[in-house]
């Protein structure tokens, strides 16, 4: 399922010779752009995500669960919508009534992508902070280190697996992004692929370029393997003490408000203003929502089911197998979708153009978003617990169900939200693989935004935001209430 | 008939041979302590018995059932062996009582779990979560959890090292009582020789993946077979000598030896087997440590610096000239001198 | 008796039942297609299932599907895609009845029909630019040195490429090269999409933009929201939001006014070719053409359809547009080679 798209990619590429432009100056420039943007966005997302994650795990910030939800809400808004909103807000017909500065080029793309991707790191770091043994920090303090130095020398290394896992998702998203960078006029390598496909109708050339992108992904995966390697961090039985924010409390809350305002807030305001001008009925919106749920909910379940064994093998046996999943993620969705279509036509024609096939494709494509948090979660569970369970007469399956699953709950939650939100927003795979007429929310939003009908797109976009945010809200607001 | 039979176990991790042909037996009701420095293969041996590692060669039999051998591997959950790890390894998502009930099946699992808790005096903690327990409490819950399914053998992997001395003694006697009550056998891995001597019916000393000596604590202590065993278990003075039947010529003069031997030999002479006297080998006190019940002296002699356990009344202090006499025959060790 | 039985059999045979459905692959936005489809179904009872995508994606999918494709109709958004589909031999011959409907742009082979027209144009921001200084020919655009860095264009977009193809065919390779080089010297701002470019034009970030006429009207007068009633809408929707956008037509016949057609053909592998042809006929009927004109702001391809006053009649649009040989749009590769040689693509 995962190797298929890679094979298809190679086969498509073999159809034509490598485009001359593959190593041309123009593409090299795009490569440099891509790397500069990925590096910058990673640094920016980390700078934003780390303090937010620290605030919700290690301080007495009020309404921490709500703050957590706010931290991940940007994932519920498609990136291109954020970019369109920023563009419109900078224009004379700004829905806010006030014209914001028009951001573009590197700063524009950087800002939009940081605000859009930091939740991946936020969620990973949130789990990472909770796992760090506070005794280590205390020991460092006793050895005479100042808080800053403790953070750099003790906390940060302990967070490496989380940073590697979340950072990988951020980087892959930047590599794959087309909507944001094209609206911000900062062409990256994905533009080259788009150009060959949409401009030149040349799938072979696009496949060659996609393979070029894979060569970028390989070193990133290697880096992730190095950083995310064995962590000798002992799981702690102790809940870390919460830092009293005191007067800084207001400041911290302001920070969250600011992040919310700049992240999902701006597009939301624009959407609400647009929705006010819209004159569309609720029926079609509900239908599109139902179809989106029909595809993304089972896909989420399937992705989690597939990710569990992969993550387990990856963590316990360092099999490295789970990295194949990441390779699939870094193939342009169009190529991925064509591969699935071709395979289905050849091996399972009865599945072709069916919702189950779409579900399968979603699950395979978004697998990394489930694998990454599960890997981090599993790394946090000492092998001892499994061994203890086995010596107490429980077989591997029972051990998995009774020991690993309950302990993985927070990671499963994160994985679920990530995959679900991605499925809800997904467009290119849906276009290719869904049965004709199976039009999801994302399609309804995109088709209107593309034609500059922002008011007509707004109700669908709001439904998408509410469905995604609502699911995340249910999971994170109810978390811990059961205890 | 022995309960557990271990034969010819070999295990290699990459380039290092961790176990090199280990074999022994364990009898019902017996506590065997596996003693050895860290890296000697103790924990690996225990994990093979539990089924958490697979040996490269050799076999293990429990009663009439082969647990592991050529072509045979019984997974850990089917072995009926209890395991207590170095750290408690309690399931953090379960209450104490649910942790103990985890290995139990059937309708009366609740009741059995309560009994196991009560046996170790843990009933008061039944509803706590593992993170609300102290280290000692957690380790006792782990013990109750391992004992609750009534395993045929209990494996203990240095379970007491993280506890303080007082707790350690208490929990040791609880383990003893439980073993006696359930008529099971136990294998205790430790690097704490005092614990091994006090707790075990028999001792097995592992060194570099080999079982170098097995026997009662007294046998192993008083008649060590190799210089390693002699110096690892308690303190000793190693001497070179030329053996002539029941005695040997050494730098300390002629010493009685056991067993009889001829030719160049290594001899072990325990500190408590040397005494200060008016005659004997001359030496000079180099250092002195007061231990309460006795005094340890380091005396420089013609045979090198010797450790001497002296009477608590001795006044000898560094710089004094003293004379030493052996009170017991020296023990002849294996290996050429 | 036998005849009646046969008739019954024909009526209820799978083929007849299947004819109640048609599957469309279209590179056009759902927003532009959906109201027409709904109207068609209401009129004929034929269910239409649509796969939306971009022309290129759908062509790739059609290639992967081969003979197993469930599609009956390919409805493209650009002449380049239609000609590519024609070259790949995807289209079946259309009946004369259908081919006779459009007043222009019917291919010699008769295997697809044009459905709507859009004109290439120069958009400007009237608050910042005096249209009096704008040239009569697009070929003189490179002379506007004052607009250095303030012109937007979309070199990766199919309509722009079709324009370059036409320019090459009309004025020769050298002229096209000189024009592109001259434009490049003005450091134009490249966009991947027209909407973003026009939003920037309206906000004053740029002053001129080379685009398709209908994007400007979309932004100024809104799109095809709501249900299409099919009635002749006398009132024109009032301009919403005072977006400072205006169109500058070049002189009649200038390549800058190039007319580009969207269109569709019935696939050779179609399982419901009859229903597909009925849909084509519907899309060419006055009612659907009027919808395209009034709601999408594209020009109709059949005669006698009213357009909103601000668009001007289709006949005027056609006098503005240069006469171009179809074959010009077929040489996409030559155009891409030229753009690449100037590092524009």
């Amino acid at each position: 399922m995962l190797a298929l798209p890679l094979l298809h990619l190679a086969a498509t590429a073999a159809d034509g010779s490598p485009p001359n432009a593959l190593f041309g100056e123009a593409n090299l420039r795009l490569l440099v752009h891509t790397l500069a943007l990925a590096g910058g966005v990673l640094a920016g997302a980390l700078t934003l995500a780390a303090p937010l994650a620290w605030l919700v795990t290690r301080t007495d910030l009020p309404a921490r669960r709500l703050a957590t939800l706010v931290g991940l809400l940007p994932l519920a808004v498609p990136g291109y919508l954020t970019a369109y909103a920023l563009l419109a807000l900078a224009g004379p017909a700004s829905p806010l009534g006030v014209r914001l500065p028009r951001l573009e080029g590197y700063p524009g793309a950087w800002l939009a992508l940081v605000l859009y991707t930091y939740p991946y790191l936020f969620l990973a770091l949130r789990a990472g902070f909770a796992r760090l043994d506070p005794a280590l920090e205390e020991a460092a303090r006793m050895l005479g280190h100042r808080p800053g130095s403790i953070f750099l020398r003790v906390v940060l290394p302990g967070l490496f697996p989380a940073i590697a896992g979340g950072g990988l998702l951020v980087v892959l998203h930047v590599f794959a992004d087309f909507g944001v960078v094209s609206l911000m006029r900062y062409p990256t390598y994905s533009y080259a692929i788009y150009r060959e496909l949409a401009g030149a109708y040349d799938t072979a050339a696009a496949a060659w370029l996609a393979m070029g992108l894979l060569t970028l992904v390989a070193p990133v995966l290697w880096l992730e393997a190095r950083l995310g390697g064995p962590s000798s961090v002992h799981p702690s039985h102790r809940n870390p003490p919460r830092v009293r924010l005191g007067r800084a409390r207001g400041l911290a809350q302001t920070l969250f408000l600011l992040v919310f305002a700049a992240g999902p807030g701006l597009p939301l305001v624009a959407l609400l203003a647009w929705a006010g001008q819209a004159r569309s009925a609720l029926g079609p919106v509900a239908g599109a929502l139902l179809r989106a749920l029909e595809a993304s909910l089972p896909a989420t379940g399937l992705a989690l089911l597939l990710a569990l064994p992969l993550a387990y093998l990856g963590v316990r046996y360092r099999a490295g197998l789970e990295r194949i999943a990441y390779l699939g993620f870094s193939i342009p969705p169009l190529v991925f979708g064509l591969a699935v279509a071709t395979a289905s036509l050849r091996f399972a024609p009865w599945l072709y153009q069916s919702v189950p096939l779409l579900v399968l494709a979603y699950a395979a494509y978004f697998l990394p978003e489930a694998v990454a948090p599960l890997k981090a979660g599993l790394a946090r569970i000492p092998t001892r617990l499994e061994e203890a369970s086995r010596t107490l007469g429980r077989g591997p399956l029972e051990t998995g169900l009774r020991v690993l699953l309950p302990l993985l709950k927070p990671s499963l939650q994160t994985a679920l939200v990530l995959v679900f939100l991605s499925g809800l927003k997904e467009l290119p795979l849906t276009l290719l693989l869904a049965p004709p007429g199976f039009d999801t929310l994302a399609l309804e939003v995109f088709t209107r935004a593309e034609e500059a009908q922002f008011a007509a797109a707004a109700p669908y976009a709001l439904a998408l935001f509410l469905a995604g945010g609502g699911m995340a809200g249910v999971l994170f607001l109810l978390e811990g209430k059961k205890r | 008939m022995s309960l557990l039979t271990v034969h010819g176990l070999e295990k290699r991790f990459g380039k290092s041979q961790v176990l090199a042909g280990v074999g022994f037996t364990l009898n019902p009701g017996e506590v065997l302590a596996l003693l050895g420095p860290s890296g000697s293969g103790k924990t690996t041996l225990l994990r093979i018995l539990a089924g958490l590692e697979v040996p490269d060669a050799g076999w293990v039999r429990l009663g009439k059932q082969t647990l592991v051998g050529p072509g045979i591997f019984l997974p850990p959950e089917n072995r009926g062996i209890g395991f207590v790890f170095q750290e408690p390894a309690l399931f953090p998502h379960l209450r104490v009582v649910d942790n103990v009930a985890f290995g139990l099946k059937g309708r009366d699992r609740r009741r059995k779990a309560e009994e196991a808790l009560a046996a170790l005096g843990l009933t008061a903690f039944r509803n706590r979560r593992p993170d609300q327990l102290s280290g000692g409490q957690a380790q006792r819950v782990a013990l109750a959890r391992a004992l609750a399914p009534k395993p045929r053998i209990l494996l203990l992997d240095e379970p007491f090292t993280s506890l303080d001395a007082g707790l350690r003694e208490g929990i040791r006697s609880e383990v003893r009582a439980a073993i006696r009550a359930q008529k099971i056998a136990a294998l205790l891995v430790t690097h704490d020789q005092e614990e091994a001597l006090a707790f075990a019916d028999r001792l097995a000393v592992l060194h570099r993946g080999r079982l170098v000596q097995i026997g009662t604590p007294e046998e192993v202590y008083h008649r060590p077979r190799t210089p390693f065993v002699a110096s690892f278990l308690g303190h000793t003075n190693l001497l070179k000598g030329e053996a002539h039947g029941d005695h040997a010529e050494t730098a300390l003069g002629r010493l009685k030896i056991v067993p009889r031997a001829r030719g160049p030999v290594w001899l072990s002479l325990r500190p408590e087997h040397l005494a200060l006297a008016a005659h004997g080998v001359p030496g000079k006190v180099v250092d002195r440590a007061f231990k309460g019940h006795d005094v340890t002296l380091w005396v420089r002699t013609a045979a090198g610096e010797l450790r001497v356990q002296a009477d608590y009344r001795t006044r000898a202090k560094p710089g004094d000239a003293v004379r030493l006499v052996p009170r017991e025959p020296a023990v002849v060790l294996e290996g050429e001198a | 008796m036998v005849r009646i039985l046969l008739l019954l059999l024909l009526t209820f045979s799978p083929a007849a039942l299947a004819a109640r459905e048609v599957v469309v692959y279209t590179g056009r936005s759902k927003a532009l297609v959906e109201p027409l489809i709904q109207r068609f179904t209401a009129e004929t009872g034929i269910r239409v299932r649509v796969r939306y995508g971009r022309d290129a994606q759908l062509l790739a999918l059609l290639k992967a599907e081969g003979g197993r494709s469930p599609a009956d109709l390919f409805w493209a958004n650009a002449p380049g895609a239609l000609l590519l589909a024609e070259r790949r031999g995807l289209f079946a011959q259309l009946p004369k009845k259908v081919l006779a409907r459009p007043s222009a742009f019917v291919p010699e082979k008769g295997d697809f029909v044009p459905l709507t027209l859009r004109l290439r144009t120069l958009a400007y921001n009237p608050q910042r630019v005096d249209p009096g200084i704008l040239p009569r020919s697009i070929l003189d655009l490179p002379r506007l040195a004052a607009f250095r860095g303030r012109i937007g264009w979309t070199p990766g977009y199919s309509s722009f490429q079709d324009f370059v193809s036409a320019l090459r065919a009309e004025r020769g390779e050298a002229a096209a090269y000189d024009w592109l080089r001259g434009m490049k010297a003005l450091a134009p701002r490249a966009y991947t999409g027209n909407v973003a470019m026009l939003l920037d034009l309206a906000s004053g970030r740029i002053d001129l933009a080379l685009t398709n006429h209908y994007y400007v009207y979309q932004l100024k007068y809104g799109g095809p929201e709501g249900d299409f009633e099919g009635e002749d809408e006398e009132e024109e929707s009032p301009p919403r939001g005072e977006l400072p956008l205006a169109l500058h037509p070049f002189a009649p016949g200038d390549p800058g006014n190039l007319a580009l057609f969207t269109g569709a053909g019935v696939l050779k592998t179609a399982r419901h070719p009859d229903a597909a042809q009925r849909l084509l006929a519907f899309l060419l009927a006055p009612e659907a053409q009027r919808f395209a004109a009034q709601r999408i702001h594209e020009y109709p391809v059949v005669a006698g359809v009213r357009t909103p006053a601000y668009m001007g009649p289709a006949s005027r649009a056609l006098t503005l547009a240069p006469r171009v040989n179809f074959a010009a749009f077929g040489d996409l590769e030559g155009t891409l080679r030229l753009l690449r040689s100037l590092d524009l693509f």
Side-chain angles (χ1 to χ4, degrees), chain A residues 259-466:
Chain A
V259 170
F260 176 76
L266 277 182
L268 265 186
V269 166
L271 283 178
L272 286 170
W274 282 327
Q277 309 164 9
R279 37 167 184 164
S280 81
L282 271 178
V285 179
L289 172 64
L290 283 181
R291 282 187 289 275
L293 293 178
E294 190 185 336
S296 40
L297 277 178
T300 306
L302 184 61
L304 294 191
L305 273 182
L306 291 174
L308 274 171
L310 276 179
Y312 187 82
L313 290 176
V315 170
R316 291 291 190 250
Y317 299 99
R318 326 222 106 248
L321 206 71
E322 81 283 1
R323 300 224 153 73
I324 295 178
Y326 290 103
L327 286 181
F329 201 38
S330 30
I331 295 177
L334 176 67
V335 177
F336 190 92
L338 283 175
V340 174
T342 308
S344 151
L345 281 165
R346 187 164 308 164
F347 305 114
W350 40 272
L351 251 186
Y352 188 61
Q353 303 219 326
S354 67
V355 176
L357 183 71
L358 185 65
V359 166
L360 223 64
Y362 275 9
Y365 197 67
F366 295 122
L367 205 49
E369 295 190 334
V371 169
L374 289 180
K375 262 179 78 180
L378 272 168
R380 190 154 70 230
I381 300 176
T383 335
R384 279 281 176 282
L385 293 183
E386 287 166 66
E387 293 176 349
S389 166
R390 297 295 295 278
T391 62
L392 287 166
R394 303 292 177 183
L397 191 66
E398 242 183 315
T399 300
L401 289 178
R402 298 186 46 166
V403 177
L404 293 185
L405 273 191
L407 291 175
L408 274 177
K409 215 178 86 190
S411 311
L412 283 167
Q413 224 168 29
T414 303
L416 198 153
V417 165
L418 290 185
V419 178
F420 176 72
L421 287 179
S422 288
L424 216 53
K425 288 181 295 183
E426 207 291 326
L427 190 58
L429 289 178
T430 319
L431 289 178
L432 282 182
L433 297 173
F438 191 84
D439 300 339
T440 60
L441 278 180
L443 177 114
E444 303 286 2
V445 174
F446 186 76
T447 182
R448 289 172 175 80
E450 199 185 24
E451 299 297 330
Q453 300 171 17
F454 300 120
Y460 294 96
L462 281 176
L464 204 157
F465 178 80
L466 288 178

Side-chain angles (χ1 to χ4, degrees), chain A residues 208-225:
Chain A
W208 277 100
L209 291 172
M211 298 217 290
L213 189 62
L214 281 182
T215 59
L216 265 193
V217 172
V220 173
L221 285 177
W222 177 80
L223 253 178
E224 190 263 350

Side-chain angles (χ1 to χ4, degrees), chain C:
Chain C
M1 189 65 193
V2 175
R3 210 181 267 177
I4 294 173
L5 267 178
L6 262 177
L7 206 71
L8 275 173
L9 257 174
L10 270 177
T11 319
F12 294 101
S13 67
L17 283 176
R20 314 306 294 164
E21 171 179 291
V22 58
V23 179
V24 176
Y25 282 17
T26 181
R28 280 166 80 77
S29 284
K30 182 178 179 183
L32 312 183
V33 170
E34 179 80 354
L36 286 169
I37 294 301
Q38 280 173 358
R39 185 81 192 144
F40 174 71
T41 303
E43 245 174 47
T44 62
I46 297 175
R47 185 171 159 228
V48 184
R49 297 199 297 141
V50 190
R51 174 179 302 293
Y52 298 98
R54 294 190 183 280
D55 287 344
Q57 290 170 356
L58 295 169
L59 280 170
L61 187 65
L62 283 170
K63 195 173 173 187
E65 288 174 339
R68 295 176 187 236
S69 178
D72 299 309
L73 194 82
F74 176 50
W75 184 358
N77 207 26
L82 285 168
L83 287 163
L84 189 61
E86 180 178 76
R87 256 214 320 274
R88 287 191 187 160
L90 293 179
F91 289 140
Q93 178 75 38
L94 289 174
K96 290 234 165 56
K97 202 175 60 181
V98 175
L99 292 171
R101 289 275 180 85
S103 49
F105 302 105
V106 178
E108 274 170 40
K109 275 190 180 172
D111 55 354
F112 66 79
V113 280
L115 291 172
T116 57
L117 290 179
R118 46 222 358 223
L119 257 54
R120 292 293 298 170
T121 189
L122 181 67
Y124 64 95
N125 184 330
Q127 291 174 353
R128 305 179 56 92
V129 178
D130 167 18
I133 63 162
L134 295 175
R136 304 257 305 144
S137 169
I138 195 169
L139 293 172
D140 295 327
L141 205 54
R143 298 208 188 124
L144 297 183
F147 290 95
R148 202 185 136 79
R150 305 202 52 87
I151 304 178
W153 69 354
T154 53
Y157 183 66
S158 62
S159 293
F160 178 84
Q161 288 164 10
D162 288 335
F163 157 72
V164 175
S165 296
L167 190 63
R168 287 170 56 226
E170 283 289 286
R171 304 290 169 104
E173 206 73 34
Y177 178 83
D178 287 345
W179 184 81
L180 285 169
R181 212 185 45 179
M183 285 303 293
K184 193 182 170 187
L186 288 183
R189 290 160 57 84
Y191 290 82
T192 42
N194 288 283
V195 171
M197 175 167 72
L198 292 176
L199 285 175
D200 266 6
L201 180 64
S203 65
R205 187 69 192 77
I206 49 176
D207 297 331
L208 302 174
L210 285 168
T211 183
N212 290 351
H213 82 274
Y214 93 109
Y215 284 111
V216 175
Y217 293 134
Q218 277 307 60
L219 275 167
K220 279 190 76 139
Y221 302 104
E225 285 170 47
D227 293 329
F228 170 48
E229 298 303 332
E231 289 144 26
D232 196 359
E233 292 173 31
E234 288 296 326
E235 305 162 58
E236 280 147 11
S237 39
R240 51 159 202 193
E242 292 301 316
L243 280 189
L245 296 172
L247 294 182
H248 170 71
F250 296 106
D254 190 79
N257 298 336
L258 180 70
L260 295 167
F261 54 87
T262 69
V266 177
L267 295 163
K268 273 186 185 155
T269 52
R271 289 167 203 183
H272 320 103
D274 297 340
Q277 281 174 17
R278 277 187 78 178
L279 179 56
L280 273 188
F282 171 83
L283 294 175
L284 287 166
E287 193 187 18
Q289 291 286 307
R290 205 156 46 227
F291 173 81
Q294 292 177 345
R295 290 291 194 78
I296 308 179
H297 312 294
E298 287 179 313
Y299 289 103
V301 292
V302 304
V305 174
R306 276 189 52 179
T307 49
Y310 52 80
M311 280 175 68
S315 53
R316 190 180 75 103
L318 285 175
T319 40
L320 278 176
R323 303 254 160 259
V324 176
N325 188 342
F326 259 38
F329 301 126
D331 186 24
L332 181 61
E333 276 174 31
T335 297
L336 294 182
R337 230 183 350 260
L338 177 63
L339 288 171
R340 282 185 176 132
S341 75
L342 282 159
D343 197 14
L344 290 173
F345 181 79

Side-chain angles (χ1 to χ4, degrees), chain B:
Chain B
M1 194 194 143
S2 60
L3 183 59
L4 181 80
T5 314
V6 177
H7 181 84
L9 284 187
E10 305 219 354
K11 182 73 183 177
R12 179 177 266 294
F13 288 122
K15 278 181 185 163
S16 67
Q17 180 91 33
V18 182
L19 293 179
V22 171
F24 63 91
T25 61
L26 187 63
N27 298 315
E30 186 181 37
V31 175
L32 177 67
L34 270 173
L35 200 60
S38 43
S40 58
K42 307 171 302 235
T43 296
T44 304
L45 175 56
L46 221 56
R47 290 171 60 82
I48 287 177
L49 300 184
L52 299 174
E53 301 279 357
V54 184
D56 299 331
W59 49 260
V60 178
R61 204 177 284 154
L62 181 61
K64 283 175 187 158
Q65 187 179 31
T66 301
L67 300 182
V68 62
I72 297 174
F73 176 77
L74 198 64
E77 59 269 24
N78 299 337
R79 293 193 177 193
I81 291 181
F83 204 119
V84 182
F85 297 89
Q86 198 165 354
E87 66 274 17
L90 297 181
F91 304 122
H93 59 300
L94 298 179
R95 292 178 306 160
V96 162
V97 61
D98 297 321
N99 258 287
V100 176
F102 188 89
L104 295 169
K105 287 171 185 168
R107 206 176 288 164
D108 55 349
R109 51 198 294 269
R110 291 268 135 218
R111 189 179 53 76
K112 283 185 183 164
E114 301 289 356
E115 279 174 17
L117 280 177
L120 285 165
L122 291 166
T123 308
F125 303 109
R126 63 183 302 283
N127 287 329
R128 294 235 187 134
R129 288 195 166 269
D131 57 2
Q132 298 166 325
L133 297 176
S134 73
Q137 291 159 354
Q139 198 55 276
R140 275 159 66 205
V141 173
L143 183 63
R145 184 177 68 175
L147 285 170
K150 308 241 183 292
R152 288 186 282 179
I153 291 184
L154 187 64
L155 304 178
L156 302 142
D157 187 5
E158 308 202 27
F160 311 132
T161 35
S162 60
L163 308 182
D164 59 55
L167 270 175
R168 222 185 289 185
E169 249 171 61
I171 200 167
R172 256 185 239 151
S173 57
E174 280 169 351
V175 173
R176 263 251 162 252
I179 290 167
R180 216 166 292 135
Q182 298 192 11
K183 298 190 183 64
I184 61 178
L187 200 59
L188 168 77
V189 154
T190 179
H191 62 253
D192 177 344
Q193 27 159 324
E194 271 186 45
E195 182 169 280
L197 291 170
F199 186 58
D201 300 312
R202 281 195 301 155
L203 283 184
V205 182
L206 264 177
H207 184 43
R208 291 188 181 147
R210 287 173 200 283
L211 231 170
V212 284
Q213 192 168 2
I214 188 164
T216 63
E218 288 82 358
E219 271 168 26
V220 181
Y221 185 82
H222 290 301
R223 300 290 286 273
R225 277 200 2 222
T226 69
F228 170 78
V229 175
S231 49
F232 184 71
L233 203 63
H235 298 286
T236 198
N237 298 302
L238 293 179
L239 301 171
K240 258 192 220 175
E242 185 75 22
H244 304 284
D246 64 352
H247 69 274
E249 296 295 339
T250 73
L252 292 182
R254 172 177 296 195
L255 296 179
K256 282 193 179 164
I257 59 171
V258 283
R260 300 172 63 88
R262 287 194 181 278
V265 287
W266 275 111
L267 300 171
S268 159
L269 205 51
R270 295 276 182 202
E272 62 270 28
H273 297 166
L274 283 169
L276 300 183
H279 52 88
V281 183
K284 195 175 185 182
V285 177
V286 184
D287 204 352
R288 165 194 166 108
F290 179 61
K291 297 279 178 68
H293 39 75
D294 55 25
V295 174
T296 302
L297 296 176
W298 283 266
V299 180
R300 186 174 301 138
T301 66
E305 208 171 282
L306 298 181
R307 189 181 173 117
V308 180
Q309 209 90 310
D311 189 88
Y312 65 92
R313 281 173 297 194
T314 191
R315 297 264 165 92
K317 55 186 190 299
D320 288 357
V322 291
R323 282 173 182 274
L324 299 174
V325 290
R327 290 158 53 169
E328 299 282 342
V331 178
V332 178
L333 304 173
E334 276 173 15
E336 294 214 350

Side-chain angles (χ1 to χ4, degrees), chain A residues 29 94 102 136 202 205 229 238 289 323 350 379 406 419 471 473:
Chain A
R29 206 168 49 222
S94 161
R102 155 75 153 124
L136 293 178
D202 191 346
R238 220 149 37 99
L289 172 64
R323 300 224 153 73
W350 40 272
V419 178
M471 171 68 116

